[in-house]
Amino acid sequence: MAITTRSVATHTRIHGEGGGKQREMTIDEFKLWIMEFDSNRDGRISKDELRKAIRSVGGWFSAWKNTKKGRNYADANGDGYIDDEEIYNLLDFAEQCMGFKIIAY
């Protein structure tokens, strides 16, 4: 199954030198991007959906480790999912560990 991020990719700005990339997004763009991986459309991001999101930005080799770290970081209530209230925790994780920069725009 191919996963596309076309709606956000047109707005995402990628910067970097020496192999390091940084993706700039607004908070709304980040929310739109991450929810594209909500394959069952339940409004929450599961472990598998988060792994697919991490892989889409080049995190193949560290996907399992970052998936666990990201879920643990963002999943405040420990239910195994990242919901709308916890999305800001995931946003912080994306800035710290996934090469995202959230901008005001």
Side-chain angles (χ1 to χ4, degrees):
M1 180 170 127
I3 297 175
T4 61
T5 58
R6 187 176 323 151
S7 64
V8 177
T10 58
H11 302 289
T12 304
R13 292 147 301 275
I14 299 176
H15 303 280
E17 295 179 19
K21 292 184 179 178
Q22 187 173 49
R23 292 156 184 84
E24 290 184 352
M25 293 183 175
T26 65
I27 292 172
D28 290 337
E29 288 171 342
F30 180 82
K31 287 180 180 181
L32 286 172
W33 172 77
I34 197 69
M35 293 314 290
E36 287 185 12
F37 297 95
D38 181 15
S39 57
N40 61 358
R41 303 291 181 231
D42 66 352
R44 305 178 303 172
I45 300 298
S46 69
K47 175 177 74 173
D48 290 335
E49 293 164 344
L50 181 58
R51 184 171 16 97
K52 289 176 184 176
I54 290 171
R55 284 182 174 177
S56 79
V57 293
W60 283 94
F61 297 109
S62 61
W64 284 106
K65 182 179 177 183
N66 279 338
T67 299
K68 184 176 180 180
K69 283 176 54 179
R71 190 183 71 238
N72 290 343
Y73 188 91
D75 185 16
N77 63 7
D79 68 353
Y81 295 92
I82 300 166
D83 59 33
D84 194 46
E85 293 178 16
E86 298 166 326
I87 200 80
Y88 291 99
N89 298 341
L90 183 60
L91 194 139
D92 289 341
F93 175 79
E95 281 191 296
Q96 292 177 18
C97 301
M98 294 172 58
F100 283 83
K101 179 178 180 185
I102 305 305
I103 57 174
Y105 202 63

